[in-house]
Amino acid sequence: MSHELRTPLNAILGFAQLLHRDRKEPLSGRHKERVGQLLTGGQHLLRLIDDILDLSRIEAGAVSIYPEPVSIREVLDELTRTLEPMAEDHGIHVKVDSLPPQVATVAGDRTRFAQILMNFGSNAIKYNRPAGSVVITVSTPRPDRVRVAVNDTGIGIPADKQQKLFQPFQRAGQELGPIQGTGIGLVITKRLAELMGGDVGFRSVWGEGSEFWVDMPLHSSTAHSAPRPSPGDADADRVTLQGRRLVLYVEDNPANVAFMQDLVSSLENVDVLTAPTAEMGVELARTRHPDVVVMDINLPGMSGTEALHALRAAPETKGIPVIALTAAASERDKARGIQAGFYRYLTKPVKVDEFVTALEALFAPAA
Ligand code: ADP
């Protein structure tokens, strides 16, 4: 389902991004604005699809929770870093109140715990007032529980709309307003918190602000969770591409192939070679030695993951980095992909900047 819904969006969002950033034939101001509308609409549709699929997976009992000791400090650091660009855009000040030292770790699934706080945090920014603020606090309402609360100075929620919050598609009066949303985020946060043995709650005063919190079981040991690998050295240094490079793109969907050819032609000194099946891709990799293989996973015949194994097994191709570019976008798919040995696991619809950054990192002289 995810694949069926994301594939056409890949062409829509992909080409819209290319038009928007085209330097050779720049769009006129009016056209750029319209393409901007296409992007906004497409991204909204993508969020809606992701949220609906995530919720239906949770409701079907198909979401696995991997409990581990999770360092609150690390998750909050990551959260504030992720929220920073959005907060800046909206002119909102975000701060974490000092953490009590005894609440170092909770027991939960780190990704899902972070997802809950991300939803609270982005709502607190979105539904705030100009030059407002967001304050995150940590407390222990019970000896075995930790509460992380996100407070805002926003518009608040009318009392008569509060009862239906945490129900799917309920936007508490925002459905006619200018702030985009799906009305699914809070439902997901509640289900996820419950799956981890926790809970969520809120209080809100119309016109004054809101506080949303999640209560999580305290982890019995005070051990810190293992630091995660940072989300890519790719972001560290932007570099100019040097020398000619060859990208082999293995993809069966003609619109995606056309998109990639268009994208690569906007980069300097990079050529692209395409193969519609994994079998042909493996063969081309052997004979043409590309600098990188970009691999769809869901292919007719041999899958992208099988092709990765075949490339790794042959001495002449085993050193070629392989980037997965796929519509299989769940956290589980990503974890499996990285475990299988993909250099990066990128999802469709392609984020052009993310993709270009991954290529630049690979083509950097030191790489
Ligand atoms: P949405 O995608 O609409 O933001 P959510 O499920 O995250 O969906 O939230 C549901 C509704 O709850 C929102 O549409 C909004 O009306 C209200 N809401 C959530 N968080 C806040 C907040 N911090 N301040 C005011 N209203 C909020």
Side-chain angles (χ1 to χ4, degrees):
M1 185 75 167
S2 170
H3 186 258
E4 306 315 325
L5 294 170
R6 282 171 158 264
T7 299
L9 260 183
N10 191 47
I12 296 169
L13 281 175
F15 282 112
Q17 288 175 85
L18 289 187
L19 279 176
H20 207 251
R21 74 204 296 277
D22 197 330
R23 287 197 206 108
K24 284 186 200 146
E25 294 173 65
L27 294 178
S28 71
R30 256 156 55 89
H31 285 167
K32 203 161 183 180
E33 213 173 280
R34 289 172 184 165
V35 172
Q37 301 281 11
L38 283 180
L39 279 169
T40 309
Q43 273 149 3
H44 181 61
L45 185 56
L46 176 63
R47 245 187 332 269
L48 198 57
I49 290 171
D50 281 344
D51 281 356
I52 291 175
L53 291 179
D54 203 16
L55 181 61
S56 52
R57 273 193 294 262
I58 294 170
E59 307 247 286
V63 163
S64 324
I65 291 291
Y66 304 100
E68 52 180 340
V70 181
S71 153
I72 293 196
R73 189 177 300 276
E74 281 175 20
V75 170
L76 290 183
D77 280 352
E78 202 174 285
L79 176 74
T80 44
R81 267 201 312 276
T82 316
L83 287 175
E84 215 173 78
M86 184 184 181
E88 234 166 65
D89 270 3
H90 287 72
I92 304 293
H93 183 250
V94 178
K95 95 168 206 209
V96 177
D97 245 11
S98 55
L99 302 183
Q102 70 276 20
V103 292
T105 51
V106 293
D109 180 301
R110 183 183 168 125
T111 307
R112 295 306 198 164
F113 178 47
Q115 182 181 349
I116 293 175
L117 293 176
M118 187 61 205
N119 186 56
F120 288 169
S122 56
N123 278 349
I125 294 172
K126 237 170 41 169
Y127 299 110
N128 219 306
R129 65 183 74 234
S133 63
V134 174
V135 179
I136 301 167
T137 60
V138 180
S139 60
T140 39
R142 269 173 32 190
D144 58 341
R145 291 263 163 152
V146 179
R147 172 169 297 183
V148 183
V150 180
N151 297 268
D152 66 61
T153 54
I155 50 185
I157 300 163
D160 62 328
K161 305 272 191 224
Q162 295 190 4
Q163 234 180 4
K164 285 197 173 160
L165 229 55
F166 296 106
Q167 287 178 24
F169 305 108
Q170 293 297 331
R171 297 208 57 220
Q174 292 292 341
E175 42 286 277
L176 300 175
I179 306 170
Q180 283 208 338
T182 62
I184 309 178
L186 287 182
V187 195
I188 293 178
T189 60
K190 185 166 171 62
R191 303 275 199 281
L192 288 176
E194 287 166 357
L195 277 174
M196 293 188 285
D199 203 1
V200 294
F202 76 103
R203 82 192 160 78
S204 182
V205 180
W206 175 232
E208 279 182 26
S210 313
E211 178 183 53
F212 280 82
W213 65 79
V214 55
D215 286 351
M216 292 282 290
L218 185 61
H219 192 259
S220 44
S221 106
T222 51
H224 283 265
S225 59
R228 295 219 153 184
S230 68
D233 330 313
D235 303 332
D237 299 296
R238 293 208 146 240
V239 284
T240 356
L241 309 177
Q242 287 177 347
R244 283 208 90 73
R245 306 293 190 157
L246 182 62
V247 175
L248 169 61
Y249 184 36
V250 186
E251 165 70 62
D252 59 326
N253 179 304
N256 290 343
V257 172
F259 162 72
M260 184 60 69
Q261 283 164 332
D262 216 348
L263 186 147
V264 170
S265 75
S266 72
L267 305 175
E268 268 174 44
N269 302 325
V270 185
D271 300 312
V272 67
L273 190 67
T274 64
T277 65
E279 290 84 348
M280 284 172 72
V282 171
E283 192 45 42
L284 272 176
R286 266 194 208 117
T287 53
R288 298 290 301 273
H289 302 285
D291 295 279
V292 58
V293 177
V294 178
M295 183 80 79
D296 185 20
I297 293 194
N298 196 343
L299 289 159
M302 185 192 257
S303 76
T305 310
E306 286 162 351
L308 171 72
H309 295 317
L311 291 171
R312 288 286 163 274
E316 66 271 40
T317 54
K318 75 169 195 255
I320 303 175
V322 184
I323 297 179
L325 185 56
T326 166
S330 75
E331 289 302 325
R332 203 156 132 227
D333 294 326
K334 283 182 207 168
R336 274 200 203 137
I338 294 297
Q339 208 170 23
F342 285 107
Y343 168 77
R344 286 270 189 286
Y345 191 94
L346 305 181
T347 55
K348 294 174 188 164
V350 183
K351 293 173 209 77
V352 172
D353 289 341
E354 179 187 63
F355 180 74
V356 171
T357 306
L359 284 192
E360 284 174 345
L362 264 178
F363 296 162

